[in-house]
Amino acid sequence: MASQLKVDTLTGVTTAGSIDVTGEGNSTTTNLQQGLAKAFIIFTQAATYVDHNSFNVSSLGDDGTGLTTINWSSAFSTAYYSSTIGIGEFGVTYRNIPALGITSNSSRTTNLLKFHSQTTGQGTADTPDNSVTIHGDLA
Amino acid sequence: MSSQLNVDTIVDKAGSGGTNVKIANNAVTVSEGGNATTNTVKGLAKAWVHFTTVSSTAVNNNMSFNISSLTDVGTGNTTCNLSNAFTNVSIVAHFNVGDGANGDQSIVQNNGTTSTINLYCFNGSNANHDSSCCAASGFGDLA
């Protein structure tokens, strides 16, 4: 018989922020907290920014053409979290924008990430439907 | 009244695994640092796939989740058809290709549906190109 447990918050006993779940192959466990994406967003850079869909993002800052500050609602424990980034529009214009990422290590803090879209000429350009997903430890 | 479960390991009722465990969409987990909580279901990848578009478009070694099928739209262009749809057409999707010898690059196109993700792979000359090592994932809210 299936069972159902209703609960609002999952907390580890040994360590509050560490719960293991059994892997699909039933032979190992994986950490629940560390496997979760802690933030994601899909947004468009333009004269007026558009946040299409986001999680753990408090606001976007327009730092100029192709440059965006993404502010996190809940801070990370370290600035060295994993960011996966891409743009989401197909067209010759955007094929010439090969580099998307953070401006520099110093511009990634526990509270924000500075995103940029860089053209082949080392310039910057506004891009549509930029996707960012973050994995790492929250404070 | 809110409730809290203190537990070190989550498995199914039989105690043999976790594949039958269900978590409500408003459940949160305590963060690694213990100072915040994060929504458990929002943090989960809702779809992922590893596939090839060389010779034929196919999932590699059954490595997919929430993918019902792949559609070969054309050279370097694949549509992922999702088993369970998202609530919003703005899916946070990522796509990477590993065929670096051709200078391959990748891009995701939001094609305006909640049940498909459209992916393009192109080479260093900006021409559509097939690759043997394609990986994609999707985040967001399921319907």
Side-chain angles (χ1 to χ4, degrees), chain B:
Chain B
M1 183 182 75
S2 64
S3 58
Q4 177 169 317
L5 177 66
N6 291 350
V7 62
D8 284 332
T9 304
I10 299 174
V11 299
D12 65 2
K13 183 182 178 185
S16 58
T19 55
N20 294 317
V21 173
K22 296 178 181 179
I23 298 175
N25 58 15
N26 59 351
V28 297
T29 54
V30 175
S31 68
E32 294 86 349
N35 298 315
T37 58
T38 185
N39 185 288
T40 309
V41 176
K42 276 187 180 290
L44 298 172
K46 300 307 189 322
W48 50 259
V49 61
H50 192 287
F51 65 100
T52 178
T53 60
V54 176
S55 299
S56 63
T57 296
V59 175
N60 287 326
N61 299 316
N62 294 318
M63 284 289 98
S64 71
F65 171 58
N66 196 25
I67 302 291
S68 61
S69 63
L70 299 174
T71 301
D72 182 359
V73 181
T75 301
N77 183 197
T78 303
T79 294
C80 298
N81 302 293
L82 304 171
S83 301
N84 291 311
F86 283 74
T87 58
N88 190 316
V89 298
S90 296
I91 300 168
V92 182
H94 300 286
F95 177 41
N96 293 103
V97 294
D99 199 356
N102 295 297
D104 283 353
Q105 302 173 66
S106 56
I107 198 166
V108 178
Q109 181 188 42
N110 183 340
N111 53 359
T113 81
T114 59
S115 59
T116 61
I117 301 172
N118 202 15
L119 309 172
Y120 287 90
C121 173
F122 53 97
N123 61 23
S125 300
N126 286 338
N128 282 9
H129 182 258
D130 285 327
S131 176
S132 61
C133 183
C134 305
S137 60
F139 293 82
D141 295 351
L142 289 181

